[in-house]
Amino acid sequence: MLNILHRVGATSTSPDAAFTALTTIDGLAGWWTRDTTGSADVDGVIAFRFPPGGFDMKVLELVPGKRVLWEVVDGPPEWIGTHVSFDLRQEGEYTIILFEHRGWAEEVEFMYHCSTKWASYLLSLKQLLETGEGAPSPDDVQISDWH
Amino acid sequence: MLNILHRVGATSTSPDAAFTALTTIDGLAGWWTRDTTGSADVDGVIAFRFPPGGFDMKVLELVPGKRVLWEVVDGPPEWIGTHVSFDLRQEGEYTIILFEHRGWAEEVEFMYHCSTKWASYLLSLKQLLETGEGAPSPDDVQISDWH
């Protein structure tokens, strides 16, 4: 099993504020994609849409201020059945976000792309938490021909 | 064995120009760290230094316009013996850079950090290739308390 891992830290915020950005439709639309709909409660399904397509995430676990876990239930074949999680904690003046996208079957080139793209979106989340303004799709940073 | 993988694409450049940015001291100093010294030839050792420390990379393989492979010979214990590679190719108007940092022993939190930080430096490389100006250390993007 192959995993994408990232770590960012944001100042002027809190694990509770980060949790809100990860567990409300408005919060998610502020850093990942503006086209976010669905139910962000446990057992709900959140639909994230981007110009080239999208992902449906089932919410498996929510621990307020601490952890969010999703399972990918629809999207590109490489993503289906994989898990995405965010672990939150405070470390001095930084709210630390540990990100995991677990369960890739193969090191396909799309995995390389998604790894870089996740980093870019997590920096958008950091920016949202620190300044109130993220860079969600379609206003995200274009990193290559695959957007 | 655990790996960090990334993919970026740059326009207005070429695999040859990317190769130069990866295989000359000046090129490397333009996107990773200004404090880069040593020999960038095969069997040479390049010393990359950052405010918190640094890495020594032995150059194992150079295929002009196509591939660069380094082995980490000094630095943080988690890095020593790991391998860093860059594979280059042209895809339409994009020069594609496939990045690998292979051979991590464990999913330590430092690996999460390095994964995000590599993405940020690869976007600095993209920016250098596209505009002539990257964001190398110490002018790099701070992503967390670990810089």
Side-chain angles (χ1 to χ4, degrees), chain A residues 3 5 100 107 109 112 115, chain B residues 3 5 100 102 107 112:
Chain A
N3 308 317
L5 309 173
E100 304 175 354
E107 285 185 347
E109 196 163 327
Y112 293 64
S115 173
Chain B
N3 308 317
L5 310 173
E100 304 176 353
R102 295 196 171 277
E107 286 185 346
Y112 292 64

Side-chain angles (χ1 to χ4, degrees), chain A residues 67-86:
Chain A
R67 180 171 165 81
V68 173
L69 173 64
W70 298 330
E71 180 177 345
V72 183
V73 293
D74 205 358
E78 298 91 338
W79 278 53
I80 294 176
T82 61
H83 290 82
V84 173
S85 65
F86 304 83

Side-chain angles (χ1 to χ4, degrees), chain A residues 54-71:
Chain A
F55 314 103
D56 286 358
M57 304 284 193
K58 183 170 180 185
V59 181
L60 294 191
E61 191 183 341
L62 296 179
V63 184
K66 293 212 171 140
R67 180 171 165 81
V68 173
L69 173 64
W70 298 330
E71 180 177 345

